[in-house]
Amino acid sequence: MEPFDLLITGGTIVTHEGVAKADIAISGETIGAIGAPGTLGAAKETLDATGLHIMPGAIDVHVHYRDPGMAHKEDWDTGTAAAAMGGVTTVFEMPNTFPPTATPAALADKFERAKTARVDFGLYGLLAEDNIDQLEGLIAGGAAAFKCFMGNTTGNLPSPSTGAMLEGFEIIARHGHRISLHAETASIMAWRQAKLMEAGKNAPLDHLAARPAIVAIEAVQRAASLAEWTGARVHVLHISSADELRPLREAQARGVDITGETCPCYLMLDTDDYARLGPVIKVNPPVREPHHKAGLWAAILDGTIGLVATDHAPHTPEEKRNPDIWEAGAGFPGVETLMPLMLNAVAEGCLSLEQLVRISAYNPARAFGLAPFKGRIAGGSHADLALFDLAAETTIDQAKLHSLRARITPFHGKRVKGVAMHTLSRGQFVMKNKTLVEASRGHGRSVHRLQSMPAPKPLRVEQSLSHLLGSSRADGTTLADRKA
Ligand code: NCD
Ligand code: ZN
Ligand code: ZN
């Protein structure tokens, strides 16, 4: 038998099902074997993971890497370096670049730019009023998913009419790609913003006033109806309010294939942070009143919100600090801080480690067609792994972000427990010992081919993790267990 390429020993594996001490052997790009500590034999290289937790690399289905058109904010090299540093091994990149990813030619151009990617990626195609005739071509060209802007945000892409959305949903439904929605209704926001501007209002909280939760409730409800009618799979991006969970739950209960995501800012910040952060807190949809946070956490625990994502939205510090809230950049980089922030939430008892794997890797892989290649630690799956020291603490420092031109985050100065130590993408280190592996530039590949590939055959020993779990439940307790 060929020796394995890499053996990871002494670590604690975390999957969506449980936590267990086990060794992992990697052959080429995939996991060759998982076994009880010390049982897997020799390999060409060994990584001692004693004291570390090994999780499936996070899959962030919501990043903006800005190239083409806005590379003064971010590009594929810096954006995927930030992902690698944060334990994120797959990203889905948004089409609100300039020009937008609305045609096969624009998509092909973005694939060229993405050649510097350090981690795997999917490209979103745009679903807009004027490109319905391009959707089939975008699918043929390798779009991994679609994005529909129901409301105005960075890039100022006009939101499609409900008629155009319906036809777009019909076309995409035939292929099974998921359609991610910026679910805020444009006309309500435009109306309110005009009135607020007329009255001379331009403070950070006025941005929230222009976008009350009804904009999200209305949009989620409408999109869910179109999804139900057409059979399209849809995904509600950046859920910011407890209120939009009602139409989401109702649609899920009716069997609509509708998933939802929230982001750390909606789980961890609220209106009490506006005075301290000023325009830096500006994001679409806005950070809301304190009570929404509890509703969002409850929706994570009951499965209504199945994914956590970052909405990684880099802007320069100057763009972010514009004192006129209508002009300030909306959003902030997040792909590098996602897992430290969420692991800190685990340390605070908000969710269990398994639940975090479920929302950061397992569910995103299933929702976006990447299972069983990604999102799990199992024989034959990609060796996309993130190794964390859960006992280590650090302070988030925006000056150290790898989004070099967008070093500004509302989480600057926050103390977190949970530090990313190593990241592997398909068996290759992209971060090692908290240091970016320079040679990882260009390692990333588009995931769109995985979406139609037959499941991999497990290599060599596929020892079920559930079996290993039998002997070591030690730190695998869930919040529910702890409350009981
Ligand atoms: C995003 C961006 O800057 O591209 N900004 C944001 O505030 N979330 C766009 C978006 O996701 O709406
Ligand atoms: Zn959005
Ligand atoms: Zn976004």
Side-chain angles (χ1 to χ4, degrees):
M1 238 173 22
E2 275 277 297
F4 294 111
D5 292 311
L6 175 65
L7 193 60
I8 304 176
T9 60
T12 302
I13 297 183
V14 189
T15 74
H16 65 286
E17 296 177 310
V19 181
K21 283 206 178 304
D23 292 350
I24 301 177
I26 294 167
S27 283
E29 300 194 334
T30 57
I31 294 173
I34 301 166
T39 61
L40 293 183
K44 293 175 191 156
E45 188 187 345
T46 301
L47 176 72
D48 181 2
T50 303
L52 302 184
H53 283 71
I54 308 167
M55 301 167 62
I59 299 170
D60 183 355
V61 301
H62 189 167
V63 305
H64 302 266
Y65 281 165
R66 308 302 194 200
D67 193 19
M70 291 178 282
H72 71 283
K73 301 175 194 269
E74 182 84 292
D75 61 29
W76 281 85
D77 186 3
T78 53
T80 54
M85 293 303 292
V88 174
T89 53
T90 305
V91 293
F92 276 60
E93 204 269 341
M94 288 293 174
N96 59 331
T97 39
F98 191 77
T101 320
T103 63
L107 184 68
D109 173 68
K110 194 173 269 188
F111 272 122
E112 279 300 311
R113 294 167 194 272
K115 279 190 170 151
T116 56
R118 295 165 184 275
V119 299
D120 288 351
F121 60 89
L123 297 186
Y124 275 102
L126 184 71
L127 188 182
E129 182 83 12
D130 58 1
N131 82 329
I132 300 300
D133 57 346
Q134 304 292 313
L135 299 177
E136 298 273 7
L138 284 164
I139 291 168
F146 283 86
K147 168 73 175 280
C148 175
F149 289 94
M150 299 177 76
N152 196 267
T153 187
T154 305
N156 296 318
L157 295 169
S159 56
S161 64
T162 309
M165 278 178 71
L166 180 62
E167 188 180 353
F169 278 31
E170 284 170 2
I171 293 168
I172 296 166
R174 292 201 287 271
H175 299 269
H177 291 61
R178 195 167 290 275
I179 305 164
S180 292
L181 305 155
H182 180 111
E184 290 190 295
T185 294
S187 61
I188 304 177
M189 301 189 292
W191 184 274
R192 293 174 71 93
Q193 183 174 329
K195 296 274 160 120
L196 287 158
M197 287 175 84
E198 230 174 82
K201 296 194 176 284
N202 69 353
L205 276 167
D206 296 320
H207 178 248
L208 172 59
R211 297 170 173 252
I214 184 63
V215 304
I217 300 171
E218 202 278 338
V220 171
Q221 210 153 261
R222 186 154 44 96
S225 297
L226 300 179
E228 186 164 22
W229 185 261
T230 58
R233 296 176 169 149
V234 295
H235 175 67
V236 182
L237 299 160
H238 44 40
I239 294 175
S240 62
S241 74
D243 304 289
E244 71 206 83
L245 297 169
R246 178 185 56 74
L248 177 60
R249 285 197 174 100
E250 286 169 1
Q252 287 173 344
R254 289 198 305 277
V256 180
D257 189 342
I258 181 168
T259 52
E261 107 198 351
T262 191
C263 316
C265 62
Y266 307 114
L267 293 167
M268 300 173 195
L269 300 174
D270 60 45
T271 39
D272 293 344
D273 296 300
Y274 274 68
R276 177 173 63 87
L277 293 168
V280 174
I281 201 172
K282 181 181 174 186
V283 57
N284 299 326
V287 166
R288 301 188 184 282
E289 298 77 5
H291 74 269
H292 289 284
K293 293 189 296 188
L296 296 175
W297 277 115
I300 285 181
L301 297 187
D302 74 19
T304 308
I305 294 178
L307 288 77
V308 67
T310 66
D311 188 8
H312 178 85
H315 299 280
T316 66
E318 299 70 42
E319 291 165 337
K320 281 302 290 174
R321 293 204 177 99
N322 192 323
D324 179 348
I325 201 62
W326 310 117
E327 294 297 324
F332 23 78
V335 76
E336 193 165 350
T337 49
L338 170 74
M339 293 307 285
L341 286 167
M342 293 305 292
L343 285 167
N344 189 61
V346 170
E348 287 176 347
C350 299
L351 77 172
S352 70
L353 280 174
E354 296 96 317
Q355 282 164 334
L356 177 54
V357 168
R358 206 171 268 277
I359 63 175
S360 65
Y362 182 74
N363 287 342
R366 287 195 309 161
F368 285 80
L370 309 183
F373 302 96
K374 295 188 182 291
R376 56 187 76 191
I377 297 178
S381 295
H382 287 175
D384 288 359
L385 302 170
L387 285 77
F388 295 95
D389 183 344
L390 300 190
E393 290 188 37
T394 185
T395 301
I396 292 177
D397 179 358
Q398 60 195 15
K400 295 194 176 136
L401 293 177
H402 287 70
S403 293
L404 300 181
R405 300 182 287 287
R407 288 178 153 168
I408 185 160
T409 163
F411 293 110
H412 178 64
K414 186 176 165 74
R415 190 101 186 129
V416 289
K417 195 168 176 187
V419 171
M421 300 298 296
H422 314 284
T423 308
L424 289 121
S425 163
R426 282 180 285 103
Q428 298 295 309
F429 283 98
V430 291
M431 175 186 59
K432 197 170 188 180
N433 294 317
K434 298 196 273 186
T435 307
L436 184 68
V437 174
E438 269 311 327
S440 65
R441 189 190 288 109
H443 167 80
R445 265 200 324 238
S446 171
V447 296
H448 72 279
R449 284 195 189 85
L450 298 178
Q451 295 175 315
S452 52
M453 242 160 82
K457 271 207 236 33
L459 305 173
R460 309 191 192 186
V461 220
E462 155 61 325
Q463 191 166 353
S464 122
L465 193 58
S466 324
H467 173 75
L468 290 171
L469 288 172
S471 55
S472 52
R473 281 292 302 176
D475 41 358
T477 50
T478 63
L479 194 65
D481 294 338
R482 268 180 269 146
K483 277 185 183 155

